[in-house]
Amino acid sequence: SETRFDPTTGDIEKIFESYTLPDGNILTKEKKYLPEDHSTESVIVVDPECKLVRTVLREMKSLTNIFTGQTEYSKAGKASLSINHWFDKKTGKLTSREQVQWLSNGQRGVSEHFIFTAEGNLVKYHKTIYNPELANYLEETHLYEPRSQALLRKESKSYGEFDEEVAVEITIFDTRGNQLEFTSRIEHRLFG
C-alpha cells in the first residue's frame, strides 16, 4: 500500500494498493483524488499467470457515484462481459446501463442499453445482436410508459450483409398491453 500527498496542502492525491486474494488472483487498486471533489478508482485483477480476470473503473463526485464500469475476462484473457452504469451527478440515481457480451474476436456480440427517468423508471431499452458468420445484425428498441412501465412501442430491424436492406417491424401497444398497430416493411438503403 502507498499513499501520496500534495506537498503544498497535505491533501491525499493518490492511494495505491496491491494484494493477493484468497483464490490466488492479484488485485491492484488505485484511487486518485482530483480537483472539484472528484475522484477515480481503478481496479485490476489478474490471475497467477498475469492474465486479466476483471477490470473495474469508478468515478465519484464527492460521495456520489457517477460511473461504474466492470469487464470480466475469459481464461484466455479476452473480454467476455462488460457492464457499465451512469448515475445522475446530483441525485446519484441510475440514468443508464449498458451490458456488452464480447465475441472472441473482440467485437460486440450483444449490446443492451437501458435508459431511466430521474425517478428511476425504465423508458427505453435497445439491444443489438451481431452474427459474424452471416455478417448481419438485429436491432430491437422498446419504449415504455414511465409510470406504468407498460411497453408502448417495439421496433425490430434486421440488417443484411453490407446493410443494403433493412427489414423493419414496428408494433404499437396501449398501456394495457393490447396491440394497436403492426407494420412490416423492407427498406433499401442508399449509400453515397
Side-chain angles (χ1 to χ4, degrees):
S1 179
E2 178 182 301
T3 303
R4 291 192 183 176
F5 298 90
D6 183 290
T8 307
T9 65
D11 292 337
I12 295 174
E13 286 185 335
K14 180 170 62 168
I15 298 173
F16 176 83
E17 298 174 346
S18 182
Y19 45 90
T20 302
L21 300 170
D23 62 4
N25 291 336
I26 300 163
L27 182 144
T28 58
K29 178 168 61 172
E30 181 177 86
K31 186 164 186 176
K32 291 182 181 179
Y33 295 88
L34 307 169
E36 299 179 11
D37 208 16
H38 278 83
S39 63
T40 61
E41 181 179 55
S42 59
V43 178
I44 298 173
V45 179
V46 296
D47 68 14
E49 297 174 359
C50 293
K51 291 182 182 170
L52 277 171
V53 174
R54 177 178 306 109
T55 58
V56 180
L57 177 64
R58 293 184 188 95
E59 294 181 32
M60 306 278 290
K61 168 69 174 163
S62 186
L63 297 176
T64 304
N65 192 9
I66 57 176
F67 173 78
T68 299
Q70 180 169 326
T71 299
E72 299 291 326
Y73 294 84
S74 69
K75 292 189 184 282
K78 295 185 178 184
S80 59
L81 176 67
S82 295
I83 300 175
N84 301 306
H85 295 97
W86 288 267
F87 302 89
D88 183 274
K89 291 180 182 181
K90 293 180 182 176
T91 66
K93 290 188 176 183
L94 182 66
T95 58
S96 63
R97 179 181 195 273
E98 173 188 50
Q99 183 168 312
V100 179
Q101 294 177 23
W102 298 95
L103 300 172
S104 59
N105 64 4
Q107 292 181 309
R108 289 174 178 244
V110 179
S111 296
E112 296 177 281
H113 298 267
F114 304 81
I115 307 296
F116 302 91
T117 65
E119 293 77 29
N121 296 321
L122 179 66
V123 289
K124 184 177 180 182
Y125 167 77
H126 179 86
K127 176 169 64 175
T128 304
I129 301 172
Y130 177 66
N131 185 340
E133 293 172 5
L134 300 176
N136 65 10
Y137 60 98
L138 171 75
E139 283 186 325
E140 191 169 294
T141 304
H142 298 179
L143 299 179
Y144 296 90
E145 199 283 318
R147 291 187 183 167
S148 68
Q149 292 293 269
L151 176 62
L152 299 178
R153 186 176 196 273
K154 178 181 174 183
E155 179 177 313
S156 297
K157 293 182 178 180
S158 179
Y159 295 84
E161 191 173 8
F162 309 116
D163 297 343
E164 292 175 359
E165 286 190 349
V166 182
V168 180
E169 291 182 352
I170 299 172
T171 310
I172 307 293
F173 302 93
D174 66 17
T175 55
R176 293 183 179 182
N178 300 311
Q179 182 176 316
L180 299 176
E181 182 182 332
F182 175 80
T183 58
S184 178
R185 65 183 183 272
I186 301 290
E187 295 178 357
H188 296 276
R189 300 177 68 187
L190 299 175
F191 297 95

